Amino acid sequence: MDTLKSKVAYLNGLIDGLGIDEESKEGRIIREIASILEDIGEEIEEIKDSQNDLQDYVDELDEDLNSIEEDLYDDEDEDDFDEEDIEDFIDMTCDNCGETVYIDTGILKGKDSIICPNCHKDIPLHIGCGCGCDDCDDCE
């Protein structure tokens, strides 16, 4: 920013040093151009200051978010599963796309079909949910 300000100051010095008649048409135009350049330099400096303030604020938000993420996910490790967690899911192959789909047994209660997360088509449920519930006809 100093270079822009120094260049405008140099330009003003040239205008003053050359003794350009400010009453002539050319002199008024040159003086007005120098004034506009000075205003542009000040606006750019204000924008730069605002940008720095915004960057500081975003950095603080990022630190806060990282802290919250650490608090929420610190105890959870995606690679560690208990046997109980695995038993809550069943796997089946989608008839439409052939992908293996893992389904929470709690979702199966009272449903005739589910939507495949891969191809978004209905998968008819012709299996017991494996939960041993009394609500499911296939588990009885």
Side-chain angles (χ1 to χ4, degrees):
M1 200 51 53
D2 294 330
T3 59
L4 183 58
K5 281 186 168 184
S6 63
K7 288 179 181 180
V8 171
Y10 177 73
L11 179 62
N12 283 327
L14 279 177
I15 292 169
D16 292 339
L18 291 175
I20 296 176
D21 181 20
E22 293 185 26
E23 298 299 321
S24 68
K25 292 179 185 179
E26 295 83 8
R28 287 191 304 229
I29 290 173
I30 292 172
R31 188 53 76 179
E32 188 63 32
I33 290 172
S35 175
I36 290 171
L37 289 174
E38 193 171 337
D39 292 342
I40 290 172
E42 290 173 6
E43 286 289 326
I44 290 175
E45 186 172 324
E46 289 176 17
I47 290 171
K48 184 179 177 183
D49 290 341
S50 294
Q51 172 64 30
N52 289 335
D53 291 343
L54 283 172
Q55 186 62 46
D56 291 342
Y57 183 68
V58 168
D59 290 342
E60 288 177 24
L61 285 175
D62 188 46
E63 289 174 12
D64 292 345
L65 180 60
N66 285 336
S67 175
I68 291 170
E69 286 176 343
E70 287 175 6
D71 290 344
L72 287 175
Y73 301 114
D74 189 34
D75 295 334
E76 297 179 17
D77 188 2
E78 293 179 13
D79 295 334
D80 295 336
F81 289 107
D82 294 335
E83 277 299 316
E84 296 171 2
D85 293 336
I86 294 173
E87 291 174 2
D88 291 341
F89 291 88
I90 61 167
D91 63 317
M92 59 187 301
T93 303
C94 176
D95 295 334
N96 300 306
C97 66
E99 290 290 325
T100 301
V101 180
Y102 296 92
I103 304 167
D104 186 342
T105 55
I107 294 175
L108 296 176
K109 293 180 182 176
K111 296 210 179 205
D112 295 330
S113 66
I114 61 167
I115 296 176
C116 175
N118 297 314
C119 66
H120 305 291
K121 295 183 180 178
D122 280 341
I123 302 174
L125 298 176
H126 300 294
I127 59 170
C129 68
C131 66
C133 64
D134 293 332
D135 296 331
C136 180
D137 294 334
D138 294 325
C139 288
E140 293 180 353

